Amino acid sequence: MSTIFNKIINKEIDADIVYEDKISIAFKDINAQAPIHLLIIPKKEIKTINHITAKDKEIIGHLFIVAKKIAKQLNIDNEGYRIVFNCNDNAGQTVFHIHMHLLGGRKLLWPPG
Ligand code: 5GP
């Protein structure tokens, strides 16, 4: 079953897209939890971290390369930012297409709630 993120990938619904290439797309989270809150997702549909296979290594690594490039562009690379992947219910995953949250622009608390 496709998710709302597949509709964003296919441009069937609007999103504030900040980056796109053949493997991934990054857009602003609709319910931002920080001044910078982006979602970086693979175009390949992978439901949860539990569904990642060895074949996906390059895709997953690519998400981190995109994240660090965006962080540099937004000038938060030195001050710092947080990368989060939620997996399933206890972590609060609501969209079952894996997505990397990139959060920054303010001091982030630790541990998270
Ligand atoms: P999760 O809780 O699954 O880790 O994160 C899902 C995220 O997707 C949430 O932060 C939520 O605000 C965001 N989100 C859900 N639907 C949409 C949408 O249609 N557009 C955008 N830009 N973000 C969405």
Side-chain angles (χ1 to χ4, degrees):
M1 269 277 279
S2 273
T3 69
I4 193 97
F5 289 173
N6 218 43
K7 292 195 166 70
I8 290 174
I9 291 166
N10 293 326
K11 314 283 163 46
E12 290 162 18
I13 64 163
D14 281 339
D16 203 337
I17 295 168
V18 299
Y19 177 86
E20 180 169 14
D21 60 28
K22 275 195 331 203
I23 298 173
S24 67
I25 186 164
F27 49 92
K28 292 185 182 174
D29 194 296
I30 207 167
N31 183 23
Q33 301 300 313
I36 294 168
H37 186 174
L38 303 176
L39 300 172
I40 305 169
I41 72 171
K43 289 187 172 172
K44 178 178 176 183
E45 280 189 86
I46 303 171
K47 280 187 195 168
T48 75
I49 292 178
N50 295 336
H51 294 82
I52 295 172
T53 71
K55 284 186 190 156
D56 300 319
K57 270 192 285 193
E58 197 176 333
I59 293 174
I60 302 306
H62 184 76
L63 301 182
F64 283 88
I65 299 296
V66 170
K68 77 153 205 182
K69 276 187 195 159
I70 293 175
K72 189 168 174 56
Q73 272 165 15
L74 297 177
N75 207 27
I76 57 168
D77 52 335
N78 286 329
E79 67 188 33
Y81 55 94
R82 185 170 294 161
I83 297 290
V84 174
F85 281 91
N86 293 320
C87 181
N88 280 338
D89 191 40
N90 268 2
Q93 184 175 5
T94 57
V95 181
F96 289 84
H97 179 135
I98 57 165
H99 45 281
M100 170 188 274
H101 294 259
L102 189 164
L103 296 140
R106 69 169 169 82
K107 189 87 180 160
L108 298 164
L109 302 177
W110 192 264

